[in-house]
Amino acid sequence: MSGADDVEIPEVEYVSGSGVPIRGNDIDTDQIIPARFMKVVTFDGLGEFAFFDVRFDENDDPKEHPMNEERFMDSSVMVVNSNFGCGSSREHAPQALMRWGIDAVIGESFAEIFAGNCLALGIPTVTADSETIQELQAWVDENPDGELEIDVEAETVTYGGETIDVTVDDAQRKALVEGVWDTTALMKSNAGEVRKKAQELPYVEERQIPDAE
Amino acid sequence: MSERTLYDKVWENHKVTELPTGQDQLFIGLHLIHEVTSPQAFGMLEERDLEVAYPELTHATVDHIIPTADQSRPYEEDAAEEMMSELEENVREAGIDFSDPDSGDQGIVHVVGPEQGITQPGKTIVCGDSHTSTHGAFGALAFGIGTSQIRDVLATGTLAFEKQKVRKIEVNGELGDGVEAKDVILEIIRRLGTEGGVGYVYEYAGSAIESLGMEGRMSICNMSIEGGARAGYVNPDETTYEWLEETDYFQANPETFDELKPYWESIRSDDDAEYDDVVTIDADELEPVVTWGTTPGQGVGITEPIPAPEDLPEDKQDTARRAQEHMRVEPGETMDGYEVDVTFLGSCTNARLPDLRRAAEIVEGREVHDDVRALVVPGSQRVQRAAEEEGLKDVFEEAGFEWRNAGCSMCLGMNEDQLEGDEACASSSNRNFVGRQGSKDGRTVLMNPQMVAAAALEGEVTDVRDLKEVTTA
């Protein structure tokens, strides 16, 4: 029953790699992964459908898009603008990006559910102001092979010989750096207190609380 | 202790402990699941050799992929059949209640919970669907989660979460004729922006909210997420209790109703509660709101001109330009007269009985425009039966609407109900994102159900108040 304890959760202190700029505010999760690709019972294979409708035309021929450019093929850090990942709660969105090769996202701001879903996969969502992001996007455009290094704990990004300050939400930072971003086992270990809480709540019926293990 | 909001109280009541990350571990009182976002979570449980911890606090239905025309099994589409079978197997093995189509209780998950009485004030409610905020209409703390979080809730009955700020949105005054809850929330999102609610939970209050029925409150809470707020709620009151008393759950357990009522009263925000922000809106000033763009924040009153991108804040200009190009609208014009090919009356925002009633009133004795394909998709089988019993189905069908079975349908285009090519759709749903309704060139105009009915009759976006005047004259 306690198999969860066996799951290894890596600590995510640094993420490094080359970048890919995805410009635009309010990029929603329907764009990141159109609903028709969600008719699957596993997340495997979603990577090739990331941003599908903006990357391919009706004949599935590639359109102009950074993720179709050879120079960004090996990128692992996506640089985005504001309210990225808004809309649907579909974890298929970060799953698709992760499976395409993305290990971290730097942006002006993120929709909450999207950021939470990224955290559950160990993907940092790092923020900086609009000007900083635009400079970073321009640099990535000019230096597609250039290395970006995100220091999650120090809240910095280093690129092109320069180190800039960024923000990583407190809980996210702790969870990533200490390797507790996958919370299943941790929360399961509190099962006794959870039961007690269930018994305390007036609307939970006795029959709805399973016997203690 | 006073000075606390409903949010503060429900949070404290459900907090199990603080986790090493600084997040709180929250007990989840109701976990709703559906076929699209849960199968992978059950897969993860199996990989980790874990079981569902609180099956009795979990409830399932099927809504996203279910066909609304021919629902005979196996479904025509293999992928839909596979997802349905997977859900059936998962709930059977775990002993989870399932409102499946044979039960007569199936429907959109956010219509099903409230109508069965399992959505209650003071509960924490989660679901792998961003529109879970709907349930906040009952004074529950309800929000959407991703699949890894579904795994957590299934395995532990809890969720790791950070507390947010609370913004009170006070809507005072009276809504005019043809103006609905939908217009209130579209106006809120338009004013505060699609990311204005990030980091906040919205408390909707004021006389205009209090005078709404539960369905209207649900429409508003439903679209909190479109304004960036993961959750929104209304304090429970007599309107809430009247609804609850009629539900199956409390009809079967009337003594539980009396037992729980003091708890529901206790979690209401205190009169002197402190808020992180307060916004007020005058309901008397509102007119029907429709969207001109490709985010729910790009809305405009039906008699107002579409804004020029250069008149918007700088960070909104690019998005607006792209949206206007996609929608093929011109600044300075109104949306009145924008031609539509399809009308969709449905979704977890606006497919409950009163929504259909108000639309039917507009439709009665008239005909759908020759160039329009008009769909009505009831939010649940119960809504469908009730509407059929009171003759609404006949009204719609006689006018030329297609009357379908319950599901999410053309709100997100996961089943056969999709826009084709560059069709324009007047829709009572919640998202006008590019590609949302199944075609990447499709164009969606969001509006209230009466306005959808008017668009179906006229073949273009129409101020429903003008149609009403004709009737009265």
Side-chain angles (χ1 to χ4, degrees), chain A residues 25-26 28 30 39 56 87-89 91 109 112 117 169 182-184 187 190 197 203 205 207 210, chain B residues 13-15 25 48 53 56 77 146-148 151-152 162 164 194-195 199 249 315 414 431 436 440:
Chain A
N25 298 333
D26 293 313
D28 57 77
D30 278 79
K39 282 182 251 184
F56 300 96
S88 159
S89 64
E91 187 173 307
S109 63
E112 272 166 41
N117 286 342
D169 165 82
D182 181 326
T183 36
T184 311
M187 297 202 296
N190 297 328
K197 178 54 75 178
Y203 64 81
E205 299 170 46
R207 63 169 182 90
Chain B
N13 289 342
H14 289 79
K15 178 175 167 176
Q25 182 175 359
R48 299 183 184 196
E56 297 272 355
E77 193 182 6
T147 296
S148 296
R151 171 198 67 209
D152 280 1
E162 279 161 87
Q164 288 146 312
T194 46
E195 58 173 339
Y249 183 80
D315 61 325
M414 274 197 83
R431 287 185 178 141
R436 172 74 178 181
K440 59 182 168 185

Side-chain angles (χ1 to χ4, degrees), chain B residues 341-360:
Chain B
D341 309 290
V342 178
T343 63
F344 173 61
L345 180 52
S347 87
C348 57
T349 315
N350 276 127
R352 297 179 182 84
L353 194 56
D355 298 321
L356 304 189
R357 278 185 191 141
R358 287 193 307 279

Side-chain angles (χ1 to χ4, degrees), chain B residues 355 363 452 458:
Chain B
D355 298 321
V363 166
V452 170
E458 299 295 312

Side-chain angles (χ1 to χ4, degrees), chain B residues 189-334:
Chain B
I189 300 165
R190 171 194 179 187
R191 285 199 205 176
L192 301 179
T194 46
E195 58 173 339
V198 172
Y200 284 94
V201 161
Y202 282 173
E203 174 175 315
Y204 303 101
S207 57
I209 302 290
E210 284 161 18
S211 60
L212 288 171
M214 291 315 297
E215 294 88 352
R217 296 178 188 188
M218 282 190 258
S219 301
I220 290 182
C221 291
N222 173 275
M223 288 185 69
S224 300
I225 185 66
E226 263 56 71
R230 197 168 186 174
Y233 65 86
V234 177
N235 280 301
D237 60 11
E238 285 308 316
T239 305
T240 320
Y241 309 144
E242 277 167 28
W243 169 291
L244 289 166
E245 208 166 5
E246 295 302 315
T247 59
D248 291 1
Y249 183 80
F250 290 108
Q251 287 288 309
N253 309 285
E255 67 292 338
T256 312
F257 180 88
D258 297 327
E259 281 164 25
L260 285 180
K261 202 170 165 188
Y263 172 64
W264 300 337
E265 284 285 289
S266 76
I267 51 111
R268 284 176 54 89
S269 292
D270 297 321
D271 292 336
D272 56 355
E274 285 178 9
Y275 296 89
D276 300 288
D277 191 28
V278 179
V279 170
T280 55
I281 287 181
D282 183 357
D284 295 281
E285 282 178 5
L286 300 184
E287 58 173 354
V289 180
V290 297
T291 55
W292 52 261
T294 54
T295 82
Q298 292 169 328
V300 70
I302 186 66
T303 67
E304 274 180 80
I306 297 161
E310 55 272 25
D311 293 339
L312 296 171
E314 208 183 321
D315 61 325
K316 304 278 175 224
Q317 294 183 4
D318 267 356
T319 319
R321 263 183 221 108
R322 275 201 301 275
Q324 294 188 350
E325 197 179 317
H326 180 86
M327 294 299 291
R328 290 184 238 142
V329 297
E330 293 293 330
E333 293 178 1
T334 67

Side-chain angles (χ1 to χ4, degrees), chain A residues 183-201:
Chain A
T183 36
T184 311
L186 180 64
M187 297 202 296
K188 187 125 187 82
S189 66
N190 297 328
E193 286 165 82
V194 175
R195 270 177 61 81
K196 219 157 62 190
K197 178 54 75 178
Q199 284 158 347
E200 235 174 75
L201 285 162

Side-chain angles (χ1 to χ4, degrees), chain A residues 5-111:
Chain A
D5 298 334
D6 307 334
V7 177
E8 262 205 48
I9 311 163
E11 290 158 6
V12 184
E13 293 170 75
Y14 302 95
V15 179
S16 60
S18 61
V20 53
I22 301 291
R23 293 185 170 87
N25 298 333
D26 293 313
I27 290 183
D28 57 77
T29 52
D30 278 79
Q31 276 184 59
I32 298 173
I33 184 88
R36 65 180 183 282
F37 300 118
M38 289 162 49
K39 282 182 251 184
V40 287
V41 295
T42 77
F43 292 125
D44 305 339
L46 283 183
E48 60 180 301
F49 303 121
F51 280 106
F52 195 87
D53 286 347
V54 278
R55 286 171 61 202
F56 300 96
D57 68 14
E58 36 292 326
N59 305 317
D60 292 352
D61 290 325
K63 297 201 284 190
E64 202 175 305
H65 191 276
M67 288 168 79
N68 288 341
E69 290 182 45
E70 194 55 42
R71 60 194 188 122
F72 293 126
M73 277 307 155
D74 297 323
S75 305
S76 54
V77 179
M78 190 168 269
V79 189
V80 304
N81 298 101
S82 78
N83 203 25
F84 187 80
C86 61
S88 159
S89 64
R90 57 188 70 165
E91 187 173 307
H92 304 67
Q95 288 274 1
L97 297 182
M98 182 176 80
R99 284 156 206 272
W100 187 84
I102 296 301
D103 298 326
V105 196
I106 308 176
E108 291 174 41
S109 63
F110 296 91

